[in-house]
Amino acid sequence: MIGYFIYTTISLACAYGLYFLLLRKQKTFQFNRFFLIGSLVLCLISPLLEIEFFNSVPRITELPINTLTNASASLETIENVEFGEIEMINTSQRSPFFYVYLTISLFFVFRFLKNFFQIFKLTRHKHERLGNLKLIRSKDSKLVSSFFNYVFINENQDLHDEGFTSILKHETVHFEERHILDIIFIELLICLFWLNPIIWLYRKAILQNHEYLADDKSVSSGIDIENYSNTIINLGQKEYRIPLTSGFNFIQIKNRIIMLHQSKTSVLNRTLKIASVMLLFAGVFAFSSYKDLKEPLVVIVDAGHGGKDSGQISNNISEKDIVLTISKQLKLLSDDKVKFIMSRDSDEFSSLQERIDFINEQKPDLVLSLHCNAHSDVSRSGIEAYYYESENIERHSSSMSYSSRIASKLLELGFESSKLIPSNFKIIKESESPSVLLEIGFLTNVKDYAIVTNTKKQQEIAKTIYEALLMKE
């Protein structure tokens, strides 16, 4: 979610910068309109896309490195292993920031629906026909504004006033160009993306361009430009309007007068600027959607135990060897999306504190500590994913999200259940990055044992974990 916000903000800022520097003062109003709406849509969806180039050239991470060999097995046995009761929690738990975001978004939705209902009530009033327009007299505003072919005017408005003719033509252009669809679209986007400051700049630019376009077409229809300018000046000081409508005086007087009297630049100059904008925006779009430009997710895979610490042992196969094999399989899956770093790549022992120090020195995006479970009740089975309830909201949320995705995804391999459990295990508590301690099945359960000790299944476990890391939240 945070990554998406960053990418959309950067790409929208670049696209808006192109508009502001190259198009804002050009009388290419129709092109400006479609550029603003089009760039807004593309920048919001581009981080969700992936454009791949040079697929015929294999990446170094796709080349085979080595073949894993079976690790030696310990002859120790451990009997009557006891674990405390496992507490189940609601996996739908979310961070407080999510609820703040949701509350404010619902406020904007409520505001939108309230304004829409307000207009709907006005459209039920008695109206007068004037060509394709329906004139509705209202007490709510001294201004003229429109919503589709409904035009709201003050109840005391003189329909034969010379200035009103100019205003009516202006509102007719809004109706014919369907500007209200742009307004509804941007208002709905604000309900979802209100946190993005560039969205608000887009909103202002879209409304401003609507007025420029309506002014230009009104004058082009034969209305005297000086009389039209005076009408803008006379009505431009009034700022209240009915929400969700287009209106004659919504934009600054000075900008509209300047744009109205500005001569069009040469066709060659306009063409060059438009071509430059399209080429530059294509670069912005490619940058925000080209996956190889994004930093990979860095994951430290901590293969539990090692050396003199064998972990759980069943049928002469130890936990330390199983998780080391899975860790090596994960390492082979490293690519431009996920980079796996192993805390140990051989059967060696490191103290818990040494592993934690190594993790914090690397500053990864995620710590994945791999283990296998055991219990005196041989019917106990399944996946258990532990995360630490950190006071850091982002760390807490990420840990819980990755735990949920990995545990649920591993069910596809035949495990009967998955559990998401908060815990204070030292490895996930003292690691400064989001962390997951993953218990991959019970060695004391026949079905789980068959899965985790099978070489092919170990490869599938690694691949499934990799896929879970790439799942959307």
Side-chain angles (χ1 to χ4, degrees):
M1 182 68 181
I2 293 175
Y4 176 80
F5 174 78
I6 293 173
Y7 275 105
T8 52
T9 300
I10 292 174
S11 57
L12 281 173
C14 292
Y16 181 80
L18 292 177
Y19 168 79
F20 188 86
L21 295 174
L22 298 177
L23 295 176
R24 181 174 60 101
K25 295 184 179 180
Q26 297 298 309
K27 300 188 78 168
T28 52
F29 304 124
Q30 286 289 12
F31 177 81
N32 291 0
R33 178 189 181 188
F34 291 110
F35 176 82
L36 286 167
I37 296 296
S39 62
L40 186 59
V41 172
L42 289 176
C43 287
L44 290 175
I45 67 171
S46 60
L48 306 177
L49 305 176
E50 288 185 350
I51 298 177
E52 299 184 28
F53 301 105
F54 312 118
N55 284 331
S56 60
V57 181
R59 296 180 178 86
I60 192 168
T61 53
E62 295 173 346
L63 301 176
I65 297 175
N66 60 350
T67 304
L68 299 181
T69 57
N70 291 330
S72 59
S74 169
L75 297 177
E76 276 186 70
T77 57
I78 298 179
E79 298 180 354
N80 299 323
V81 180
E82 294 289 344
F83 284 81
E85 290 299 316
I86 296 174
E87 176 185 358
M88 290 292 295
I89 70 163
N90 185 357
T91 60
S92 64
Q93 182 181 351
R94 297 185 182 272
S95 70
F97 175 78
F98 171 80
Y99 294 105
V100 173
Y101 165 81
L102 183 62
T103 300
I104 298 176
S105 295
L106 289 175
F107 167 77
F108 280 108
V109 171
F110 173 78
R111 187 194 67 161
F112 175 84
L113 294 175
K114 177 178 174 291
N115 293 336
F116 194 87
F117 183 67
Q118 178 185 350
I119 295 174
F120 178 77
K121 287 200 302 182
L122 288 174
T123 61
R124 301 300 92 192
H125 292 179
K126 182 180 178 181
H127 66 266
E128 304 172 44
R129 275 279 184 180
L130 191 61
N132 292 326
L133 302 180
K134 298 178 181 179
L135 303 184
I136 297 177
R137 296 184 180 274
S138 171
K139 299 178 182 179
D140 293 348
S141 176
K142 295 181 179 180
L143 307 180
V144 179
S145 55
S146 61
F147 183 81
F148 289 103
N149 65 331
Y150 291 96
V151 178
F152 306 105
I153 62 177
N154 184 261
E155 58 184 356
N156 299 320
Q157 177 68 54
D158 180 4
L159 299 183
H160 302 288
D161 180 72
E162 183 178 355
F164 180 72
T165 303
S166 299
I167 297 172
L168 199 61
K169 179 58 182 176
H170 182 98
E171 298 304 325
T172 301
V173 175
H174 282 312
F175 162 62
E176 292 173 347
E177 295 291 328
R178 300 294 190 269
H179 288 165
I180 194 63
L181 296 178
D182 297 358
I183 294 174
I184 292 174
F185 176 68
I186 190 65
E187 292 292 340
L188 288 174
L189 285 183
I190 284 175
C191 292
L192 295 175
F193 300 101
W194 55 267
L195 194 60
N196 191 323
I198 312 300
I199 291 288
W200 296 94
L201 295 177
Y202 262 87
R203 178 178 180 271
K204 180 180 178 181
I206 288 170
L207 292 175
Q208 186 179 61
N209 189 65
H210 285 174
E211 299 308 308
Y212 290 161
L213 194 153
D215 289 343
D216 184 63
K217 287 205 169 188
S218 297
V219 171
S220 298
S221 69
I223 296 175
D224 181 72
I225 191 171
E226 296 303 327
N227 291 336
Y228 191 86
S229 299
N230 289 331
T231 303
I232 293 177
I233 294 171
N234 292 334
L235 293 179
Q237 300 301 327
K238 302 171 184 178
E239 297 183 353
Y240 174 78
R241 70 180 174 97
I242 299 171
L244 287 183
T245 59
S246 298
F248 185 80
N249 67 316
F250 296 172
I251 303 300
Q252 298 175 8
I253 301 172
K254 179 181 176 182
N255 291 345
R256 289 178 65 184
I257 297 296
I258 291 174
M259 190 62 72
L260 195 60
H261 288 78
Q262 179 175 294
S263 300
K264 287 189 176 181
T265 54
S266 68
V267 174
L268 178 60
N269 192 13
R270 291 203 307 272
T271 302
L272 287 174
K273 286 197 173 183
I274 289 174
S276 298
V277 168
M278 296 306 294
L279 286 172
L280 290 171
F281 179 70
V284 172
F285 179 71
F287 173 82
S288 59
S289 58
Y290 182 37
K291 69 173 186 176
D292 285 343
L293 292 176
K294 300 177 183 179
E295 290 294 325
L297 178 74
V298 178
V299 180
I300 287 188
V301 183
D302 174 54
H305 312 285
K308 63 182 181 181
D309 180 8
S310 300
Q312 308 297 335
I313 299 175
S314 181
N315 295 328
N316 294 330
I317 297 181
S318 63
E319 177 185 357
K320 67 174 183 177
D321 296 329
I322 294 172
V323 295
L324 179 60
T325 302
I326 295 173
S327 296
K328 289 182 176 180
Q329 291 289 349
L330 281 170
K331 176 66 175 178
L332 291 177
L333 294 174
S334 288
D335 57 15
D336 51 9
K337 295 179 182 178
V338 184
K339 177 183 178 182
F340 292 103
I341 299 174
M342 300 174 65
S343 64
R344 68 179 179 96
D345 56 9
S346 61
D347 185 16
E348 58 185 354
F349 175 80
S350 296
S351 69
L352 190 56
Q353 190 57 53
E354 287 175 334
R355 286 152 56 195
I356 292 171
D357 292 341
F358 170 77
I359 288 168
N360 291 335
E361 182 180 325
Q362 296 293 319
K363 296 181 172 57
D365 298 309
L366 177 68
V367 178
L368 184 60
S369 186
L370 300 183
H371 298 264
C372 292
N373 225 328
H375 201 279
S376 58
D377 181 358
V378 295
S379 66
R380 290 283 293 271
S381 64
I383 302 295
E384 293 181 352
Y386 296 85
Y387 68 95
Y388 175 62
E389 294 183 305
S390 171
E391 294 179 358
N392 183 310
I393 295 175
E394 182 178 351
R395 178 184 166 195
H396 177 197
S397 177
S398 294
S399 298
M400 188 168 61
S401 175
Y402 282 119
S403 298
S404 177
R405 281 184 271 166
I406 295 171
S408 59
K409 184 73 174 171
L410 283 171
L411 288 177
E412 297 175 3
L413 299 182
F415 294 101
E416 292 186 356
S417 65
S418 67
K419 298 177 181 178
L420 189 62
I421 308 167
S423 172
N424 290 328
F425 285 131
K426 186 179 178 69
I427 188 73
I428 57 176
K429 180 179 180 180
E430 296 188 10
S431 295
E432 297 170 357
S433 305
S435 308
V436 179
L437 189 148
L438 188 65
E439 296 277 7
I440 310 173
F442 284 71
L443 294 182
T444 47
N445 179 270
V446 174
K447 185 176 180 180
D448 285 5
Y449 177 85
I451 295 174
V452 299
T453 58
N454 181 282
T455 302
K456 184 177 180 180
K457 286 292 185 180
Q458 290 170 348
Q459 295 173 352
E460 291 179 8
I461 289 171
K463 183 180 178 182
T464 302
I465 292 174
Y466 169 84
E467 292 172 351
L469 295 176
L470 297 180
M471 288 170 59
K472 303 297 182 183
E473 295 185 35

